[in-house]
Amino acid sequence: MIEFRSVSHAFDDVPVLEDVSLSIDAGEFVLLAGANGSGKTTLLRHSNGLLEPDSGEVLVDGTPVAEDLIAARSSVGMVFQHPRDQFVAATVGEDIAFGPENLGLDRAEIDRRVTAALETVNMAGREDERIDALSGGEQSRVAIAGALAMEPTHLVLDEPFTGLDAPARRSVLERLASLSADGTGVLLATHDLRDVCELADRVIAMHDGRVAVDGPPADALAELDGLEVRVPDTTRC
Amino acid sequence: MLTYEPDESLAHRLDPRAKLAVQIGFAATALAHTTPRALIAFSALTAVAMATARLSLRRTLVSYRLALVVLALAPLLAGVTVGPPWFDRSAAVASGLASYRVLLILLVSAAYVRSTPVRDSRAAIQRTIPGKPGQLLGVGVGLVFRFLPVLRGDLRTIREAMAARLGTERGVVDRASTIGMLGVARAFDRADRLSLALRARCFAWNPTLPALAFSRVDYPVLGLAVILAVSAFY
Amino acid sequence: MATDQHSVELVDDDVVKPFARAAVLAALMGAAVFVGSIPIPFSPIPISLGVIVVYLAGLYLGPYWGAFSLLLYLTAGAVGLPIFAERASGLGVLVGNSAGYLWSYPTAALLIGAVVHRLSEDGDPADLSRPVLVVTLLAALTVIYLLGAAWLGYVLELSTVKAIEIGVVPFIPGDLIKIAAVVAIVEAERIAT
Ligand SMILES: Nc1ncnc2c1ncn2[C@@H]1O[C@H](COP(=O)(O)OP(=O)(O)OP(=O)(O)O)[C@@H](O)[C@H]1O
Ligand SMILES: [Mg+2]
């Protein structure tokens, strides 16, 4: 479980998060919506200690993040917006191995995790391919596999769909849904709810650094007016 | 362009550390000797190194063309004198021999390049250079490999965007500073995002290192490296 | 969990950022040899971005990380990435005819970085006055020429005068233009430190 307890954060005295409290349970699929600049990315970066709150506290599976960064970062797998900039190696397999190597696992275990992570994102057997030669959708999936290889209890994704077409979005989303069905908590930031919200258990919307809406998709949708979040035209949620 | 090529040659099967040691030994002794006799021996060794890596002489020479121009020019220039006799043959010969051994050193290192994937070199660095410097250099080499195509694309985009609006008509200082500034600013943007990703993925001082092991064929090669290095002093 | 058997020692957050910048700058230095250079009037040698990156590494990464960035560039080229001039690579280049120039790069970045470190508030090169900046860059260029020509002369058995004729003179116009470009970059204050 990831818990934010009254988290506040300011950049250069400009408040960006104000007294945010929420929690994400294991196996939950939660959407984090909100307009540009509403504080989604900032919130996510508190979940694994990339940022420290000015006040308040973040706990991962009961342990304060600040107390055990290694536990927080191996329990919370993070996927950023620009996959190109987060790969550390030139080939798929080497990149996915990076996290497990940092945990000091032995080589056989690392290989097992790389294989398993690639299977989970539907890219089995493509370890030796060059990352640059992959399509945008495939790169997103490799980025997710890199996070999964840490065997996290939660997956936190910051707009992983930039530049993906509808089928690619769809396939990544379905992977995420099945991961959450298998017990991984998923927190997905986006300002575009098209075809995402029917898969989610909960929608949280940020507005000016505060949680404006938090509830099941169907209820949350009705409250999103004025928050500049793109809502599906059909009521598929 | 000279670069790693997958193959089954003997050199491909050697441990990268053994290959690095031979290059260092060879360079050390070649820098110390320029007698024709020594150069004949070095040439033979170079030929062996190239054969073990199945290196094409012609393609390798093409990839070192810039160095070749200098190496060819140096003896000519060395021979020219301002007054009579106008050309000093012995100075030209001395420089020619010196240039030739530089060419041999380049060819031997080309054998390493063709036969060693970056992954192996990274492993060799991390396993040979102790502590934090080794870790940073090893991971760093991997990152340079990873970001080379990305930044190449960035630079190309910057130049095309400038040309599209006739930036080519501007002065040379202006153009150089614009490309340099945008190039570095964009590179730092990417680096800052990369550093977040490194932190999120538990970037550690003591990771599991890439696997690497000496095998039977490596020991004679290491022995050769030692002999070469020692011969530098005789 | 894995962390029970093995004590993971995280790289400090304030090391990760300059390290990532140094690595990416080394890649930029390498990428510069792929994108064509700018021809300049009255000189046989066109401008390449390369040495500009050396100066900027010292200016924006400081003495240690700046020098590290260029050592990384040398290492990556030595093990086979095609990032030396004209896409060459290999350990041999680091002892070959142009080795002096290459090894002078980390030295030059160290020198520039040390000046910025001493004379500016928090490592921001924009704090330097224009004369100080120009003198610093010229001093770095002198180091590059000295080491470059000295090794060229030694390894090819050329006299000092001839090493300078072949290894310094043709480059002077381009190098002065690059220094002017770097001054313009610093004064534009658009690169965040
Ligand atoms: N490192 C930083 N330094 C200063 N200000 C920042 C920093 N990061 C974010 N901000 C500011 O904080 C606010 C919230 O930014 P954040 O990135 O969290 O928004 P977001 O909801 O993720 O937006 P987007 O949809 O555009 O990604 C913005 O006004 C932004 O300018
Ligand atoms: Mg964001």
Side-chain angles (χ1 to χ4, degrees), chain A residues 11-12 16 34-43 81 158-159 191:
Chain A
F11 286 112
D12 310 320
V16 173
N36 292 132
S38 56
K40 303 182 295 292
T41 300
T42 309
L43 181 70
Q81 189 170 5
D158 194 356
E159 312 207 33
H191 54 258

Side-chain angles (χ1 to χ4, degrees), chain A residues 190-236:
Chain A
T190 175
H191 54 258
D192 183 352
L193 293 181
R194 282 174 304 172
D195 62 36
V196 197
C197 81
E198 65 187 72
L199 298 166
D201 300 316
R202 227 167 101 205
V203 174
I204 295 171
M206 306 279 298
H207 188 63
D208 285 344
R210 293 176 182 275
V211 176
V213 176
D214 183 352
D219 304 348
L221 270 191
E223 301 177 46
L224 287 177
D225 274 350
L227 303 185
E228 294 168 55
V229 178
R230 215 184 292 177
V231 177
D233 347 304
T234 53
T235 44
R236 282 199 312 207

